[in-house]
Amino acid sequence: MAGVFSTGLVRDRIDTTVYNIERYKQGDSDSSVGARLDMYEFSWGLFLQAPLFGHGLGAFKEKAIEAREGGLLDDKSRVIGIVNTPHNEFFLAAVERGLVGLFVLLLLFAVPGYIFSRAAFSYDYVVAYYGVSGIGLLVVFFVAGQTGTLFHHNVFTHFYILMMFLFVSQIRARVSVVLV
C-alpha cells in the first residue's frame, strides 16, 4: 500500500487535491474538487428541506436547475444544474430518498458486509476467499461512492448485484456442503 502512495502519479493527485481545497477555502470552486464540495453543500441544504423521505427520484437536477435559474447559485460552481447527481452516492440518496433511502443504501453495504466479514474468518479457505473478495468489493463501492454515484449507472448496479449474488451463493453453497 505504501508503494502505491509513493508513486509520482498518486502523489501529484494528492497535491492537486490539497491545492484545490485551499483554493476552495478562498472562494474559488473552479476545479473538480471545488465543484464537488459545492454540490455537497447544495445537497446538504436540499436534504435539510425534506429529511425523512427526500424530494423524489431525479429531484437533485430539478432542484439545481431551479436554484440556478433563481440566481441562488451564482457564487457556486457552474456544474450545479448541469450534472444529474451530486457526485456522491450518499448525498444523492439523502436528497432524493431522505433518511429512509439513506438507511436502505447503507443496508446494501451492511448486510453483505456482515455476511462477508463472518465468512472471511472461516477455517474453510474457499469461504474465506469469497468473504474477503466480497469485503473488497464493498470497500471499492463505498469509497467510490464518496466522489461518484455508481448506483446511478446501470452497468455498476448490475455488476454490484451480480458479484453480491456470486459471492454470497458461493459462501452459502460451501457452508451447506461443509455442514452436511
Side-chain angles (χ1 to χ4, degrees), residues 77-170:
S77 172
R78 65 186 179 282
V79 302
I80 300 177
I82 296 172
V83 296
N84 294 326
T85 70
H87 284 64
N88 182 296
E89 200 72 63
F90 305 95
F91 276 124
L92 182 64
V95 166
E96 295 188 348
R97 297 174 223 105
L99 286 172
V100 173
L102 187 58
F103 178 73
V104 170
L105 176 63
L106 291 174
L107 284 178
L108 284 175
F109 291 100
V111 171
Y114 175 75
I115 294 167
F116 296 145
S117 64
R118 288 188 51 146
F121 292 102
S122 173
Y123 291 111
D124 182 336
Y125 73 93
V126 174
V127 171
Y129 171 81
Y130 284 110
V132 170
S133 298
I135 289 170
L137 184 65
L138 289 173
V139 167
V140 166
F141 269 76
F142 192 87
V143 170
Q146 304 305 307
T147 60
T149 48
L150 298 180
F151 292 124
H152 191 72
H153 304 283
N154 287 339
V155 67
F156 293 119
T157 303
H158 294 153
F159 179 76
Y160 182 85
I161 292 168
L162 177 69
M163 297 311 289
M164 290 299 118
F165 278 126
L166 173 71
F167 294 153
V168 171
S169 67
Q170 293 304 305

Side-chain angles (χ1 to χ4, degrees), residues 38-67:
D38 276 350
M39 287 187 281
Y40 300 166
E41 182 181 346
F42 179 69
S43 297
W44 180 250
L46 290 176
F47 166 70
L48 293 177
Q49 293 173 5
L52 192 56
F53 295 109
H55 293 276
L57 298 179
F60 175 81
K61 185 167 185 176
E62 292 171 16
K63 296 288 184 181
I65 290 171
E66 288 173 17

